[in-house]
Amino acid sequence: MPRAQHRGLLMSKTIAILTGGGDCPGLNAVIRGVVRSAVGLHGWRVIGIEDGFEGLIGEPRWRELGLDAVRGILSRGGTIIGTSNRGNPFAYPVEKNGQIELTDISDQVLENFRQLGADVLIAVGGDGTLKIAQGLFEKGLPVIGVPKTIDNDLQATDVTFGYRTAVAIVTEALDRLHSTAESHHRVMVVEVMGRDAGWIALESGIAGSADAILLPEIPFSLPDLCQAIEQRAANGSRFSIVVVAEGAFAAEGEKVLLKSAGENLGVERLGGIGQQVGAALAERLDMETRVVTLGHLQRGGSPTPYDRILASRFGVKAVDLIACQRFGEMVALKGRTVDGVTIASAVARLNRVDPQHELVTTAQHLGILVSRRNTGR
Ligand code: F6P
């Protein structure tokens, strides 16, 4: 349908968009997709809420997003409107009598939103952001969700944008670590992100030819890991690459958390299992061990073409869902098609690696130790 003709069919609207939670490659591509479709195709207005839900608390912070604002941002990492993984309006830290109490200030957020004169909110985020979006939807706010996270841990979409970029970054790191590990006859332990889902570890471990992958979904066995590394050395490969998901833990141990100095109240921060595994291996094996924590490198920089395309499709589809008044839905990739699913169904359960998943079996059949010796063969 020609642009001008389409424009006349629907009433004018103002769309507010925010990006919440950790940033991830492709956020700008979503924003661009929303603006190009909403402004360029429908003739609507788009405003960007700054720094996630934080921008709706206190004095609202927002900016106009016209076509000029999104010029040249497709390939840029991060998000031009900022993000934050604080600012949950249902559990916001408020000081009361010298004590910090988590308080429900969602009514204030709704009131601030109303004052902006926006008709609908597009919330681009992971599990946490979408749960907040669902809560606000249940309180009457018209909301559309867009799933984002490098962790790929959201149900209801085959994949989240940002994930494939993270896998590509980790894979390149593993390729680079191979040569130095081999030259020094070392064990390289590489800790990767993903929270409680092992997707990044599993897929980059396969793509980057890891020798062991430790997943959060299958508690690992240190003796099995030592044996696998020693066996490789005995077979002539005097180096090993061990990919450890940040949420992995030993069968007799527990998840390793970072101490957060007051920030991210109520949000668990994972990290440190790589160092623990490295220290344990150094103690038990007659091999030098080094630990690399890839950290936020996995989230920075330009999205891959796949993520640029997926994020653009998500942005355009989000506007489409608004045009069809399908509020309370989240865009999702199912097979080859992007469509809407309810946000409620998307956040009901995390998408974690099923230990029986074909990718796990593939890794095992390739000779990779996945958390513990495979006794099922
Ligand atoms: O959810 C994305 C993610 O990058 C996780 O993989 C990681 O555990 C977490 O965010 C890190 O959060 P922060 O940016 O607060 O350190």
Side-chain angles (χ1 to χ4, degrees):
M1 182 178 296
R3 290 192 159 219
Q5 197 184 333
H6 193 165
R7 207 173 276 156
L9 291 181
L10 289 158
M11 287 204 329
S12 172
K13 276 189 196 303
T14 297
I15 298 175
I17 181 168
L18 63 77
T19 51
D23 71 339
C24 110
L27 286 170
N28 284 327
V30 174
I31 296 169
R32 175 178 174 271
V34 166
V35 170
R36 282 198 161 208
S37 171
V39 178
L41 177 68
H42 296 284
W44 297 343
R45 179 178 172 233
V46 180
I47 61 173
I49 310 287
E50 293 180 358
D51 302 336
F53 286 104
E54 284 276 341
L56 286 172
I57 294 167
E59 186 63 29
R61 289 180 289 117
W62 59 278
R63 73 176 81 156
E64 203 70 41
L65 291 178
L67 291 170
D68 278 353
V70 297
R71 194 158 288 143
I73 66 167
L74 176 62
S75 60
R76 264 171 64 186
T79 159
I80 59 166
I81 50 177
T83 187
S84 166
N85 43 19
R86 293 182 299 270
N88 178 353
F90 293 98
Y92 195 74
V94 174
E95 198 182 321
K96 284 181 194 159
N97 309 322
Q99 299 268 329
I100 298 290
E101 272 182 34
L102 295 178
T103 311
D104 183 348
I105 56 159
S106 54
D107 287 338
Q108 181 197 131
V109 164
L110 290 176
E111 184 48 37
N112 281 344
F113 189 84
R114 264 179 223 118
Q115 281 181 16
L116 293 178
D119 301 291
V120 53
L121 174 68
I122 297 181
V124 190
D127 184 53
T129 301
L130 292 169
K131 277 186 178 144
I132 296 169
Q134 174 63 19
L136 295 174
F137 172 66
E138 285 167 13
K139 293 187 85 164
L141 189 78
V143 168
I144 297 291
V146 177
K148 161 265 32 161
T149 167
I150 62 164
D151 305 337
N152 197 33
D153 60 356
L154 277 171
Q155 274 296 325
T157 182
D158 289 357
V159 68
T160 52
F161 68 86
Y163 167 67
R164 296 230 187 278
T165 303
V167 169
I169 292 167
V170 177
T171 302
E172 192 199 333
L174 295 180
D175 288 348
R176 289 178 184 276
L177 290 169
H178 257 94
S179 58
T180 173
E182 187 167 14
S183 305
H184 285 269
H185 317 297
R186 282 173 171 161
V187 179
M188 282 286 178
V189 177
V190 186
E191 182 182 306
V192 301
M193 283 183 165
R195 286 195 206 273
D196 296 316
W199 295 110
I200 296 177
L202 181 57
E203 291 213 303
S204 61
I206 293 173
S209 186
D211 304 298
I213 301 171
L214 310 185
L215 299 178
E217 292 85 353
I218 311 173
F220 66 84
S221 154
L222 201 56
D224 286 1
L225 178 60
C226 291
Q227 199 191 44
I229 293 170
E230 279 172 333
Q231 188 61 57
R232 263 178 63 78
N235 292 343
S237 297
R238 294 167 56 207
F239 73 98
S240 281
I241 305 282
V242 181
V243 176
V244 188
E246 62 181 2
F249 53 94
E252 60 286 352
E254 51 190 38
K255 279 197 296 195
V256 183
L257 301 180
L258 289 172
K259 289 195 183 32
S260 63
E263 61 163 285
N264 296 355
L265 217 60
V267 181
E268 185 180 80
R269 289 184 65 210
L270 290 157
I273 184 65
Q275 289 294 346
Q276 288 198 3
V277 169
L281 293 179
E283 211 177 279
R284 289 168 174 75
L285 298 172
D286 189 18
M287 285 172 86
E288 275 190 356
T289 303
R290 294 290 185 270
V291 178
V292 177
T293 303
L294 290 176
H296 294 80
L297 275 177
Q298 295 159 90
R299 289 201 336 221
S302 192
T304 57
Y306 179 92
D307 278 337
R308 293 181 199 189
I309 294 166
L310 183 61
S312 299
R313 293 171 76 188
F314 278 2
V316 167
K317 189 69 192 179
V319 174
D320 226 42
L321 293 181
I322 293 171
C324 300
Q325 312 230 28
R326 287 167 62 179
F327 305 122
E329 293 198 12
M330 178 193 94
V331 299
L333 178 72
K334 280 283 166 205
R336 289 172 179 271
T337 308
V338 172
D339 204 348
V341 296
T342 62
I343 301 177
S345 70
V347 296
R349 201 163 55 87
L350 281 184
N351 172 29
R352 304 183 70 203
V353 177
D354 177 349
Q356 313 300 328
H357 196 287
E358 177 262 336
L359 274 170
V360 174
T361 319
T362 298
Q364 289 167 334
H365 288 201
L366 286 169
I368 303 170
L369 179 90
V370 183
S371 289
R372 57 172 183 248
R373 210 167 337 141
N374 178 19
T375 46
R377 287 167 68 185

